[in-house]
Amino acid sequence: QVQLVESGGGLVQAGGSLRLSCAASGRTFSSYAMGWFRQAPGKEREFVAAISWSGGSTYYADSVKGRFAISRDNAKNTLYLQMNSLKPEDTAVYYCAADPSPRLTDWVYWGQGTQVTVSS
């Protein structure tokens, strides 16, 4: 079992940056693949980025590639999402998720989400 708590959301102007964090409880964080997802009002939740348990492999949605960077610190049980060059269409609730398998498809554990609002 792992519990996830996101932080770092807020209001930022277009072109600005934010860094999201996801603190995980439990001793198994380092064995989980981790991901970030987002859900905008009236839209379905969508994949943003994912990272393997070691941090050696990362994956991004085309819409954020080159602007966002996912990373993790297994010693601190923390996942990060550095978001640069933010656009109004990045406005959403951002969730972190954990996948106990290496497949990056079994997102079993979810945080409560943190709001990101990008003004034009």
Side-chain angles (χ1 to χ4, degrees), residues 35-88:
W36 287 99
F37 294 76
R38 67 186 182 187
Q39 186 167 20
K43 295 186 177 181
E44 293 189 352
R45 188 177 299 183
E46 64 175 1
F47 168 78
V48 174
I51 188 167
S52 61
W53 67 270
S54 67
S57 297
T58 57
Y59 310 87
Y60 296 93
D62 288 343
S63 59
V64 306
K65 203 171 293 183
R67 300 188 298 122
F68 290 11
I70 188 171
S71 61
R72 66 190 297 162
D73 186 337
N74 286 343
K76 295 183 178 180
N77 278 14
T78 304
L79 174 74
Y80 303 100
L81 184 69
Q82 178 67 43
M83 305 186 295
N84 300 324
S85 302
L86 282 161
K87 304 175 181 180

